[in-house]
Amino acid sequence: MTSRALLNPRTNGQAVLLVLVGAGSIQFGAAFAAKLFPRVGPEGAVTLRLVIAAIVMLVVIRPKVRGRSRADLGTVVGLGVALGGMNLCFYEAIARLPLGPAVTLEFLGPLGLAVVLSRRLRDMFWIVLAAVGVLMLGEGGFSGLDGVGVAFVFAAAAFWAAYIVIATKTARTFKGVDGLALAMAVAAVLVLPFGIVGAGTALVKPGALGFGLVVALMSSVVPYSCEMLAMKRLSAATFGLLASLEPAVAALAGLVVLSQTLGIVQVAGILLVVAASAGVTISQTSEAPAGKSADKTGDRTGDNAGDSALGRDPDGSAGRGAGCGDGHGHGAGPGAVPVEELTGGLPPQP
């Protein structure tokens, strides 16, 4: 897919709007979560978000566990650990950092993973561009940002990269979004002790529960629904390109909801990271046609290059990873996840 195809004016406008609504919902949901911190702290806020979102997903999706191997369940647990760790660290970060810079720094996780897995020298340009953006964000260093918050956001970035890798395998192993629903439940169980210790009985007060419900809907349920609908009409490459706008959306949410203002240099830094994220998406998805034309021997391991990190094919179906031979993700062999599945469009923040 060429960069021109990514920006084709015939792209369904409603699908584009859905992606933007989803991105806005995620970031404004994070901003409202910060409003919840005075009541229950970041640990309590992330607990309310994940527990409520897990309950909603389990009730609506009703994933099946029977008949699954230990390896399948181990994959779900791994995804849950990555999901829980990412959200817990991110909430700890935005308790100490402005939302825009926090989301921008967290984007270094999937961005770095995409460049490392591509192994193309020219893609190093995007890492350099992102690095310049990060330096501008910190105004030449991180002295202007809380050190503990920076450490937490880098941990969140690492968990996000791990989430991408494990989610690809999960999507191949489980039908539809069953794996994600189960992983959300695992993540909720893992963060629950932190929430209980950090917030105690404040977690079950009506005000906190109501706020938590809003955050869960805005940060998980609404954006994920928008994402699924959009992927029925957009290629994952176009989807990834639009998801690259999230740091800018986060900065806007921080300004509107939390009155967090940024300097011109910091705004320019965020825009450079957005450009680097979009550049990775365009650069790597443009290689897909060449890979497909070379694959005419019946081996379809490289097909659907450009799948998002959640394993969606360009036609919008979920959980049908490339190369699946038996419906459980074993067709391509253990660990044989094509690089393109991981890098053909950066995912939105889970």
Side-chain angles (χ1 to χ4, degrees), residues 104 108 111 124-136 269 272-273 276-277:
T104 302
L108 296 181
L111 178 61
M124 289 302 298
F125 168 77
W126 302 116
I127 278 291
V128 172
L129 188 65
V132 172
V134 168
L135 288 175
M136 294 175 69
L272 283 183
V273 175
S277 177

Side-chain angles (χ1 to χ4, degrees), residues 210-250:
F211 224 130
L213 176 61
V214 172
V215 170
L217 292 175
M218 291 186 68
S219 298
S220 298
V221 179
V222 171
Y224 192 74
S225 300
C226 289
E227 175 188 341
M228 291 296 293
L229 291 172
M231 286 299 292
K232 294 178 182 295
R233 302 178 182 179
L234 296 179
S235 70
T238 304
F239 184 86
L241 183 63
L242 293 169
S244 300
L245 297 173
E246 284 201 26
V249 177

Side-chain angles (χ1 to χ4, degrees), residues 11 15 23 80 115 123 175 299 326:
T11 297
V115 172
D123 283 337
K175 178 182 178 181
D299 178 8
D326 59 6

Side-chain angles (χ1 to χ4, degrees), residues 292-303 322-325 331:
K292 287 187 177 183
S293 62
D295 184 15
K296 297 181 179 179
T297 61
D299 178 8
R300 300 187 59 81
T301 301
D303 278 5
C324 293

